[in-house]
Amino acid sequence: MQQTVVDHIEQVAEDAVSLVLRGAAGPLAPWEPGAHVDLALPNWLTRQYSLCGDPADRESYRVAVRHDRLSRGGSEYIHRFLRRGRALDVSLPRNHFPLLPAPSYLFLAGGIGITPILPMLRAAVASGAPASLVYLGQSVASMPFADELRSSYGDRVRIVATRQQGRPDFAALASELGPGAVVYACGPGPMLAAAEDAFPSGRLYAERFRPAPRSFAPNTAFEAVCARSGRTVEVPADESLLDVLTHAGFPVASGCREGVCGSCEVAVLDGAPEHRDDIGAPEGRMYACVSRALSPRLVVDL
């Protein structure tokens, strides 16, 4: 973890604030567009937020947080209680949504989904590639950084207040894509589902707030052998591997517990994991919060 101090809090939409977190002990770890970090909040919760500042700024990170009316305690704490000068531990950046080189880019953002897209748009424009953004929100007042985007990028940015204008025709946007153009999208589930229907799968890269609806075979129990400690734990059908490891005293980090953040990655040395995450576990890894086992036993590097 890295030590930071809340340097600035700014209202950037009617229900969203941005936080500038300054490194308390020198430069912060580098990052690239699409990265996110875990914030360890003073109310003992850990939450993930996309970095939306400038990767060239090694002195501070910027994130934005929407006030979720059904908050589990993270956004509620930030909006009601977090103050300038508060110390916060922040993880090293992780990136499951990297910006890949392409001849041209179309970015789609919905609401707070603008956060990973902001540095992507900046990087794409700086590269000289044609790049444009379609930014959706119920109203302009609800859309973080709308003014910043307008002033920085002008007619590259199309801002759509869906309450008045409706959702734009994604199929029409898809028909206008140039050769080799790629689409990066982040936003609510219905927006991403519409994008997946409209854009070719090999050209669309999306990041979700919540896991996509999917069905799996019923859970079965399995053993997890912790190779370094020599201990074996039983994972019953009604508990996750993450919970069992935590209760057994193994220090596995956790965040979203939904398979979208990557905090709880563990190395698998033997056995066949059943991947249930939404970000694509690397070879030989699994995310312990949601993934299970296809074999009766897994050997993990713990």
Side-chain angles (χ1 to χ4, degrees), residues 8-297:
H8 187 66
I9 302 176
E10 179 185 2
Q11 196 82 27
V12 291
E14 59 187 6
D15 64 348
V17 296
S18 75
L19 309 177
V20 174
L21 308 172
R22 186 161 298 279
L28 295 167
W31 60 281
E32 296 182 349
H36 68 270
V37 292
D38 300 338
L39 267 58
L41 299 173
N43 62 350
W44 303 101
L45 294 176
T46 299
R47 294 291 182 263
Q48 299 75 44
Y49 299 104
S50 294
L51 292 169
C52 60
D54 183 354
D57 178 7
R58 294 288 304 281
E59 303 302 318
S60 64
Y61 290 157
R62 182 174 74 164
V63 301
V65 182
R66 183 178 67 87
H67 190 187
D68 186 347
R69 304 303 171 184
L70 300 176
S71 172
R72 294 173 295 170
S75 71
E76 181 79 5
Y77 179 88
I78 288 171
H79 276 256
R80 293 189 61 189
F81 303 111
L82 191 63
R83 296 292 182 266
R84 186 173 183 272
R86 182 78 200 213
L88 288 181
D89 285 341
V90 179
S91 72
L92 296 175
R94 295 189 302 277
N95 199 343
H96 303 293
F97 191 41
L99 181 67
L100 302 176
S104 62
Y105 298 90
L106 171 63
F107 298 103
L108 303 176
I112 200 65
I114 191 61
T115 50
I117 299 298
L118 261 174
M120 288 185 172
L121 177 62
R122 181 187 294 112
V125 170
S127 75
S132 60
L133 165 67
V134 178
Y135 183 15
L136 288 66
Q138 290 191 345
S139 65
V140 175
S142 71
M143 300 166 74
F145 308 115
D147 291 340
E148 176 181 324
L149 285 161
R150 282 169 168 159
S151 63
S152 298
Y153 302 107
D155 59 7
R156 291 179 185 267
V157 175
R158 177 183 171 192
I159 293 179
V160 182
T162 56
R163 193 178 292 156
Q164 291 80 33
Q165 301 168 258
R167 182 186 293 155
D169 185 345
F170 286 175
L173 292 173
S175 70
E176 298 168 0
L177 288 179
V182 295
V183 182
Y184 280 82
C186 183
M191 186 199 91
L192 295 182
E196 288 167 347
D197 287 341
F199 295 98
S201 60
R203 298 171 73 179
L204 174 67
Y205 300 90
E207 183 169 69
R208 297 179 175 277
F209 302 149
R210 295 284 183 267
R214 289 186 290 166
S215 60
F216 298 97
N219 290 353
T220 57
F222 63 95
E223 284 185 348
V225 179
C226 301
R228 278 183 276 157
S229 69
R231 292 177 59 190
T232 297
V233 294
E234 302 291 334
V235 184
D238 60 351
E239 284 192 68
S240 70
L241 174 59
L242 175 63
D243 285 340
V244 170
L245 290 173
T246 300
H247 296 154
F250 290 97
V252 179
S254 65
C256 70
R257 292 180 170 264
E258 295 181 317
V260 297
C261 80
S263 298
C264 60
E265 180 181 300
V266 296
V268 180
L269 304 178
D270 192 30
E274 180 189 23
H275 298 294
R276 297 184 177 187
D277 62 273
D278 271 67
I279 55 179
E283 182 70 23
R285 306 273 171 164
M286 68 182 290
Y287 298 119
C289 64
V290 293
S291 296
R292 300 191 65 82
L294 296 172
S295 53
R297 187 183 76 153

